[in-house]
Amino acid sequence: MNSRKVVFIFWSTLFISSVCGGIVGVFLNWDVYVGNGMTNFIVGVIWMIGLGAAISVVAQMGFFAYLFLHRFGLGLSKTHTLWNRIQWILIVFVYFDLVYFRYVAYAKEGESFFGYMIVPTLLFVYGVLIAWVKARETNQVAFVPALFFMFVITTIEWIPALVANDAKWLAIYITPLLVANTWQLLLLHRLIKKPA
């Protein structure tokens, strides 16, 4: 991995996630940005793209932090098996927290506990799909770290929106996060692959 590849990861991730975040943000705020003149719409688009870019930078910091954490975990545990078990425990812990603490903090009287399982389950299923692709393109050992990154690290990066607990902000925030994290995870092995 050289500096040119690091720069490519940074700018490509920033571009793709800001555009996707901007599109979703404008779509979810369509009534705010349309109908009050072209200037309002242009400023709204720029604002949403800028917000997507800022969230992308958070995702990139999380990605490089996880690369360090993963190597550190492997160094401490000496085997993939032990480190994978630790990651599975943390995945289950974060899933429980994402369901239970949001339910305790935000549930209104009569609201079902199972309703708070939908978003974490969808995020987990998405993480499994991306981890499966990663493992298929590299090796089976990559499955658990990829799932951990896509589920646990994404959840940590998503905390500002989770605290706000507004459906619109949850969607606006998670879009650039998922796009950035998916792109980085599936791009990394292609960039560091040794030529045949």
Side-chain angles (χ1 to χ4, degrees), residues 61-77 83-84 86-87 90 145 148-149 152-153 156:
M61 287 189 298
F63 180 65
F64 286 104
Y66 178 68
L67 291 177
F68 172 78
L69 174 69
H70 181 63
R71 284 288 147 208
F72 185 72
L74 284 174
L76 284 180
S77 62
W83 178 231
N84 282 350
I86 292 168
Q87 288 180 101
L90 292 172
F148 182 89
F149 173 70
V152 174
I153 302 300
I156 291 169

Side-chain angles (χ1 to χ4, degrees), residues 4-132:
R4 186 176 57 83
K5 291 178 180 178
V6 171
V7 169
F8 176 75
I9 289 177
F10 175 79
W11 287 110
S12 63
T13 304
L14 187 72
F15 175 76
I16 291 168
S17 56
S18 349
V19 169
C20 292
I23 290 169
V24 169
V26 169
F27 178 75
L28 291 175
N29 290 304
W30 189 257
D31 54 330
V32 175
Y33 297 138
V34 174
N36 293 324
M38 186 55 88
T39 305
N40 184 62
F41 180 75
I42 292 169
V43 169
V45 169
I46 292 169
W47 170 254
M48 283 297 137
I49 289 174
L51 183 61
I55 295 168
S56 166
V57 171
V58 170
Q60 293 187 59
M61 287 189 298
F63 180 65
F64 286 104
Y66 178 68
L67 291 177
F68 172 78
L69 174 69
H70 181 63
R71 284 288 147 208
F72 185 72
L74 284 174
L76 284 180
S77 62
K78 303 293 184 203
T79 65
H80 280 283
T81 307
L82 178 58
W83 178 231
N84 282 350
R85 286 180 185 160
I86 292 168
Q87 288 180 101
W88 271 117
I89 290 167
L90 292 172
I91 288 168
V92 171
F93 181 74
V94 168
Y95 181 87
F96 173 79
D97 286 356
L98 198 51
V99 175
Y100 179 74
F101 287 121
R102 287 191 69 236
Y103 175 76
V104 168
Y106 302 116
K108 296 180 179 122
E109 195 172 332
E111 253 188 313
S112 167
F113 179 78
F114 294 103
Y116 283 84
M117 293 178 69
I118 294 170
V119 171
T121 303
L122 289 174
L123 181 59
F124 179 78
V125 168
Y126 181 79
V128 167
L129 290 172
I130 298 304
W132 177 78

Side-chain angles (χ1 to χ4, degrees), residues 1-2 5 9 187-195:
M1 179 69 85
N2 57 37
K5 291 178 180 178
I9 289 177
L187 179 66
L188 182 65
H189 62 272
R190 291 178 171 89
L191 289 180
I192 61 176
K193 185 162 64 171
K194 294 180 176 71

